[in-house]
Amino acid sequence: MGSTSAREADSVLYTRSGPEIGVAATKTFTSQLAALYLLALGMGMGRNCLSQDEADSFNTHLAEIPDLIHQILKKDEKIKSLAESLVTAKDFLYLARGVNYPIALEGALKLKEISYIHAEGYPAGEMKHGPIALIEKGLPVVILAPSNDLFEKVCSNIEEVKARGGRVIAVTDVPEALSGKADDIIKVPSTHPLLTPFVNVIPMQLLAYHIGVLRGCDVDQPRNLAKSVTVE
């Protein structure tokens, strides 16, 4: 509040998430997801695309997110153990479809920022148009696979990766459906399909954090990065 950007803007939607101490944003990322979601709901109602009942239903699901995130945080030790087996990797590929594609980008960005490992996020539907050439034995491929109408297509991506020797790390709310298909599975709680980015981004950030710490990196102040950018 009271920042230059807030003073210069015509309107301000505060996220109320408190100061982000680390350079690599985590809680502010999630808070901005929530703020944009609420903005979309307001616009949907204002344009008569959503009824009050539909908006109330969406808000009910949104109110459940903090508890779902708490459930994921309880899996921190498991994610740390997974990180220990990935700490020597040189490259990562992150794949997802639909609203989770930006979360794949966020996962790759966090890994680059705080562990200095090359990582690339890509739309899973376009894997065959380039990234598939990068897949070789042992390459860690993180795939976001929520149980939605794109799940079967994501399963096809998993099979493509496995056929080329890649190591599949699946983030999903239906681990039983991927048993025997993925090498590693991070289970997340189920939620509304449009809210899956909230639950999928947390393990992405935790995985990057633990890999960074294990590699001896300063995860709070990564090299070459600054909290405030004063040049164009």
Side-chain angles (χ1 to χ4, degrees), residues 152-172:
E152 292 303 321
K153 293 183 181 295
V154 173
C155 287
S156 177
N157 292 128
I158 290 174
E159 292 171 1
E160 293 276 4
V161 172
K162 289 296 294 177
R164 287 156 181 79
R167 177 179 174 179
V168 174
I169 301 148
V171 179
T172 183

Side-chain angles (χ1 to χ4, degrees), residues 6-225:
R7 294 196 305 270
E8 293 291 328
D10 294 306
S11 300
V12 180
L13 178 58
Y14 288 112
T15 57
R16 308 288 181 180
S17 56
E20 182 84 80
I21 304 303
V23 171
T26 51
K27 68 175 182 176
T28 50
F29 181 94
T30 310
S31 298
Q32 286 183 340
L33 277 183
L36 291 171
Y37 188 81
L38 290 172
L39 180 62
L41 283 179
M43 292 177 69
M45 292 187 66
R47 292 168 61 87
N48 295 317
C49 298
L50 287 176
S51 68
Q52 184 62 56
D53 287 343
E54 288 173 322
D56 289 343
S57 176
F58 279 123
N59 278 323
T60 297
H61 286 294
L62 185 62
E64 295 169 351
I65 291 298
D67 288 336
L68 301 185
I69 290 177
H70 184 66
Q71 292 178 35
I72 299 169
L73 292 175
K74 290 181 179 179
K75 302 178 185 295
D76 185 55
E77 284 300 317
K78 180 178 180 180
I79 296 173
K80 179 181 179 182
S81 177
L82 175 60
E84 290 170 351
S85 69
L86 296 167
V87 72
T88 59
K90 302 297 183 183
D91 300 278
F92 274 71
L93 183 61
Y94 288 72
L95 300 174
R97 290 174 180 261
V99 294
N100 281 287
Y101 164 51
I103 305 306
L105 293 177
E106 164 69 358
L109 176 65
K110 284 294 178 289
L111 192 69
K112 285 182 282 193
E113 284 182 322
I114 63 177
S115 74
Y116 315 143
I117 296 175
H118 171 256
E120 183 175 354
Y122 219 82
E126 298 179 20
M127 185 182 77
K128 286 190 175 183
H129 299 275
I132 198 168
L134 300 174
I135 299 173
E136 58 187 12
K137 186 175 180 180
L139 175 74
V141 182
V142 181
I143 300 181
L144 305 183
S147 56
N148 56 23
D149 57 347
L150 296 172
F151 182 74
E152 292 303 321
K153 293 183 181 295
V154 173
C155 287
S156 177
N157 292 128
I158 290 174
E159 292 171 1
E160 293 276 4
V161 172
K162 289 296 294 177
R164 287 156 181 79
R167 177 179 174 179
V168 174
I169 301 148
V171 179
T172 183
D173 59 327
V174 284
E176 62 283 353
L178 296 180
S179 177
K181 297 180 180 179
D183 297 283
D184 304 279
I185 296 176
I186 301 175
K187 184 182 185 302
V188 294
S190 296
T191 185
H192 188 282
L194 291 179
L195 292 175
T196 51
F198 284 96
V199 295
N200 287 335
V201 73
I202 305 302
M204 298 294 90
Q205 294 169 341
L206 287 175
L207 184 63
Y209 165 77
H210 285 300
I211 291 176
V213 170
L214 290 166
R215 287 168 60 88
C217 303
D218 186 342
V219 297
D220 291 320
Q221 294 184 327
R223 68 189 183 198
N224 304 331
L225 297 179

